[in-house]
Amino acid sequence: GIQVEQSPPDLILQEGANSTLRCNFSDSVNNLQWFHQNPWGQLINLFYIPSGTKQNGRLSATTVATERYSLLYISSSQTTDSGVYFCAGPTDYGQNFVFGPGTRLSVLP
Amino acid sequence: NAGVTQTPKFQVLKTGQSMTLQCAQDMNHEYMSWYRQDPGMGLRLIHYSVGAGITDQGEVPNGYNVSRSTTEDFPLRLLSAAPSQTSVYFCASETGGTQYFGPGTRLLVL
């Protein structure tokens, strides 16, 4: 299966700031997802984005499959954006995912 | 729609005990999976199922069994708990390339 790397590992922002999280993968992918794990542990699917750009409110994501990376943009960050952001790519095990190590985001009031 | 539900939320076991983690979904998804998450790490796939009656191993299947007798339910069994199985366990269902996760079960093995 592919290897997934994420950067930065930790990020601290002041409320209202913008940020970019990066995900690199070792091989071409036909499926890539971004997840947010909130401080209570719940995992929420943010984007299914094998290629191109998608936007959902203050969040947007871009995947450049040919260059093997994906970016997650958070604009005007809020304290509720805190948590860990994972990107995940396809595994050799059916339609499941291999997860990157995550980026831990802390948004301060 | 309750989505994906898991029980219990938290469990303490002694080494050698067995138990079953329950997972259910009401979205009629064929595809279901079990992952474990260890501190500071992403999720790793334990077992998965592409439909009732069909299961397969993931990346870290040792020490775990699964069955899928209905579309809705996908229980995970720990045969003889070991401290290395202390983790948070997530069940997920999938459709259209998107996975939906349950709230997780936090397991402590002493």
Side-chain angles (χ1 to χ4, degrees):
Chain A
I2 66 167
Q3 313 278 331
V4 181
E5 298 175 349
Q6 292 186 245
S7 60
D10 294 281
L11 188 57
I12 300 175
L13 299 175
Q14 209 66 39
E15 200 167 25
N18 302 328
S19 61
T20 301
L21 283 58
R22 186 177 179 102
C23 173
N24 291 330
F25 33 95
S26 59
D27 204 347
S28 57
V29 297
N30 57 8
N31 190 349
L32 188 98
Q33 297 198 32
W34 283 95
F35 295 90
H36 176 222
Q37 187 168 38
N38 66 25
W40 297 269
Q42 179 68 44
L43 278 156
I44 305 296
N45 183 286
L46 298 175
F47 293 103
Y48 163 62
I49 184 160
S51 63
T53 297
K54 289 187 178 179
Q55 179 148 11
N56 184 2
R58 295 180 297 103
L59 272 61
S60 65
T62 295
T63 296
V64 183
T66 53
E67 298 188 22
R68 304 178 190 171
Y69 73 89
S70 183
L71 302 174
L72 179 69
Y73 305 97
I74 304 174
S75 64
S76 304
S77 58
Q78 301 176 357
T79 55
T80 52
D81 295 330
S82 295
V84 183
Y85 289 81
F86 293 102
C87 70
T91 72
D92 295 332
Y93 303 101
Q95 295 164 226
N96 291 289
F97 292 91
V98 58
F99 283 72
T103 291
R104 181 173 298 277
L105 176 65
S106 300
V107 181
L108 306 178
Chain B
N1 251 357
V4 180
T5 58
Q6 293 184 238
T7 56
K9 287 186 169 55
F10 181 71
Q11 183 73 44
V12 180
L13 291 179
K14 294 181 180 178
T15 296
Q17 288 184 315
S18 62
M19 79 161 293
T20 299
L21 281 62
Q22 301 291 344
C23 174
Q25 53 96 7
D26 60 0
M27 298 175 283
N28 204 32
H29 292 166
E30 293 292 331
Y31 217 93
M32 297 184 74
S33 311
W34 276 102
Y35 292 85
R36 60 177 286 174
Q37 184 179 28
D38 299 307
M41 296 178 66
L43 281 69
R44 291 184 293 167
L45 182 68
I46 305 171
H47 284 284
Y48 64 100
S49 169
V50 301
I54 306 170
T55 64
D56 211 340
Q57 296 181 350
E59 180 187 358
V60 288
N62 292 341
Y64 307 95
N65 271 355
V66 292
S67 60
R68 185 95 180 271
S69 56
T70 67
T71 299
E72 294 78 20
D73 299 299
F74 190 40
L76 177 73
R77 279 183 287 278
L78 278 71
L79 308 173
S80 176
S84 60
Q85 293 178 304
T86 293
S87 190
V88 181
Y89 291 85
F90 288 96
C91 178
S93 69
E94 186 268 350
T95 187
T98 299
Q99 285 202 317
Y100 301 88
F101 284 88
T105 293
R106 189 173 295 271
L107 177 67
L108 175 61
V109 182
L110 302 175

